[in-house]
Amino acid sequence: MAKRTSLCLPVAQPGSLTYDGIEVGAERVAKEIEDMLEELRRDGHKITKFSIVGYSLGGLVARYAIGLLDHRAILIR
């Protein structure tokens, strides 16, 4: 299978929900990422690299989301 790059732009964290806090926002984003990774695996894709980018509050949410995914062992499957 040819190498492929997939892009996930979380929609569960619009600007109006940033007041919910970093933890709640990261839970939303982590769930979206988890669902996307599972869908890719189900379709037969092997995930070898994973990057997440965010700046300012998005960076804090991204770091927290990575911690959640790591804790759930999502990134080592």
Side-chain angles (χ1 to χ4, degrees), residues 5-49:
T5 300
S6 296
L7 184 63
C8 175
L9 300 172
V11 296
Q13 186 66 13
S16 61
L17 295 180
T18 59
Y19 296 108
D20 290 344
I22 295 167
E23 293 175 20
V24 174
E27 286 281 353
R28 288 188 198 114
V29 171
K31 176 68 173 127
E32 277 194 63
I33 293 170
E34 189 175 347
D35 291 346
M36 180 192 164
L37 293 175
E38 185 58 38
E39 183 180 332
L40 288 169
R41 287 183 180 114
R42 219 179 14 249
D43 291 343
H45 299 282
K46 181 179 178 188
I47 300 161
T48 57
K49 293 183 181 181

